Amino acid sequence: MEYRPLGNTGLEVSVAGLGCGGNSRLGLGRGASFDECVAVVRTAVDLGVNFLDTGEAYGTEEIVGAAARSYDRDRLVISTKAIFRSGSDTAETVARRVDGALKRLGLDYLDVFHFHAVHPTAYDFHHDELAPALVRLKEQGKVRHVGITETGPNDPEQKMLSRATREPPWEVVMLAYSLMNQGARHKIFPTTQRRGVGTLLMFVVRNLFSNAAYRRDVFADLVAQGHLDRSILSEADPLGFLLAEGGAESITDAAYRYARHEQGADVILFGTGNKDHVKDNVASILRPALAPPIIERLHASFGHLTGVGLDRPGPVKK
């Protein structure tokens, strides 16, 4: 495993991070027993993954907590999050939600606590009304670092993080980034690198990269909308060049490697409920960067696109 600093937090994190979602695609929490889910998390940790991300909305905090008890606490970096809504939540709510997360995880402190899926229109509420309460919890030692995550499907232009990355108290951010959704290269990463904000990359792999039929339909729609030239549909697979010319083992392999070696990327989050897939995903994230001509082609072909591949995880029938 390779490790790197998470921004200026002082935390050393694995470049591969396990995203412990609770939906059918990510596997944890549905279609498997509690013990089977715990075993998936332990498989990742035994491969060197030390960054574990969960959340109240996922229903997997207890799973992560059970897995974590098998290891020294100092070995792991555990991140969780909760959704807050204006009109119903207050600064007092923040303390209760953090305490609830600590209880479910069985921990004395959280390495990172995020405000989860913050829409641009809700940013001021989170920054002005809720963040001071989270900072106080940091001062008390319950939270080591303050984070915020975007809602990619509802904020494809990354308006919220374009503001958040420029001001305190945010020390860590979670954002959508992939070889078909490259906006953060210009909008987010220059600021996070300059200010030392840690980055967690989600939506790196979605149905677009794992389902060939769905992928071709997406590209056909992009051509019809005038976002891509029709010539891109001349090949059986519009991304087939990543295998033929780029040396990737699969489109998914290429997607992980593209994100992993982007300047400004700290942790590449992956999710699965299959222990074998854990090994495959970690292997891809640890492989060398794609060849420079391939990266240049990806930037030239898709760098102008916004919000492509931000489908929420789940099966796509084709």
Side-chain angles (χ1 to χ4, degrees):
M1 182 55 66
E2 297 177 25
Y3 301 88
R4 60 175 46 169
L6 182 61
N8 288 343
T9 62
L11 299 172
E12 289 289 322
V13 291
S14 52
V15 295
L18 182 64
C20 303
N23 51 69
S24 58
R25 178 169 168 77
L26 298 185
L28 297 185
R30 292 188 185 178
S33 70
F34 185 92
D35 289 343
E36 289 171 332
C37 293
V38 170
V40 170
V41 179
R42 288 176 178 164
T43 297
V45 176
D46 290 341
L47 288 171
V49 173
N50 78 340
F51 190 92
L52 305 176
D53 178 70
T54 180
E56 181 182 40
Y58 302 154
T60 58
E61 289 173 324
E62 290 90 346
I63 292 169
V64 172
R69 285 192 284 277
S70 298
Y71 306 93
D72 291 338
R73 175 67 180 92
D74 291 344
R75 177 179 174 182
L76 302 177
V77 177
I78 297 178
S79 159
T80 192
K81 45 196 176 291
I83 296 172
F84 296 86
R85 305 194 185 282
S86 176
S88 58
D89 290 312
T90 65
E92 288 72 24
T93 309
V94 176
R96 291 198 298 270
R97 304 287 277 283
V98 168
D99 285 341
L102 289 169
K103 181 178 180 179
R104 289 186 293 273
L105 284 158
L107 301 176
D108 296 324
Y109 66 90
L110 301 167
D111 293 290
V112 186
F113 186 87
H114 304 265
F115 293 137
H116 189 183
V118 178
H119 192 274
T121 59
Y123 176 72
D124 286 337
F125 166 67
H126 285 76
H127 180 271
D128 299 343
E129 302 296 327
L130 302 183
L134 194 51
V135 170
R136 286 193 293 273
L137 292 172
K138 177 182 176 180
E139 294 167 350
Q140 296 169 16
K142 291 185 176 183
V143 174
R144 295 181 69 187
H145 302 287
V146 175
I148 191 168
T149 86
E150 69 178 1
T151 170
N154 300 311
D155 184 16
E157 295 182 351
Q158 300 182 299
K159 294 179 180 179
M160 187 280 291
L161 281 185
S162 293
R163 293 184 60 191
T165 53
R166 287 172 165 79
E167 60 185 359
W170 320 115
E171 301 169 271
V172 183
V173 298
M174 186 181 295
L175 65 145
Y177 187 73
S178 77
L179 57 83
M180 291 289 291
N181 183 59
Q182 304 172 20
R185 281 200 306 123
H186 305 293
K187 299 175 183 176
I188 306 299
F189 293 143
T191 305
T192 57
Q193 291 181 88
R194 175 173 54 82
R195 298 193 64 247
V197 177
T199 60
L200 314 173
L201 274 57
M202 59 179 172
F203 287 91
V204 171
V205 170
R206 279 300 191 260
N207 291 311
L208 178 64
F209 305 120
S210 60
N211 186 313
Y214 175 65
R215 180 162 59 249
R216 188 163 181 85
D217 285 349
V218 169
F219 273 84
D221 287 342
L222 290 170
V223 169
Q225 295 166 15
H227 298 308
L228 293 175
D229 187 87
R230 183 165 296 277
S231 62
I232 202 166
L233 300 178
S234 61
E235 300 295 330
D237 189 330
L239 294 181
F241 69 91
L242 293 168
L243 283 64
E245 304 171 29
E249 296 192 2
S250 65
I251 304 299
T252 295
D253 177 64
Y256 277 129
R257 292 165 63 184
Y258 170 78
R260 151 77 175 89
H261 293 281
E262 178 60 55
Q263 290 293 316
D266 291 338
V267 177
I268 308 303
L269 294 169
F270 69 93
T272 180
N274 184 304
K275 290 192 288 186
D276 290 333
H277 292 170
V278 171
K279 298 174 184 178
D280 292 342
N281 293 340
V282 169
S284 288
I285 293 169
L286 293 181
R287 288 192 181 106
L290 300 173
I294 297 299
I295 300 295
E296 292 170 8
R297 180 171 176 178
L298 289 170
H299 290 169
S301 299
F302 310 126
H304 63 290
L305 299 175
T306 299
V308 176
L310 298 187
D311 53 308
R312 291 181 173 83
V316 172
K317 296 179 180 180
K318 289 292 177 185

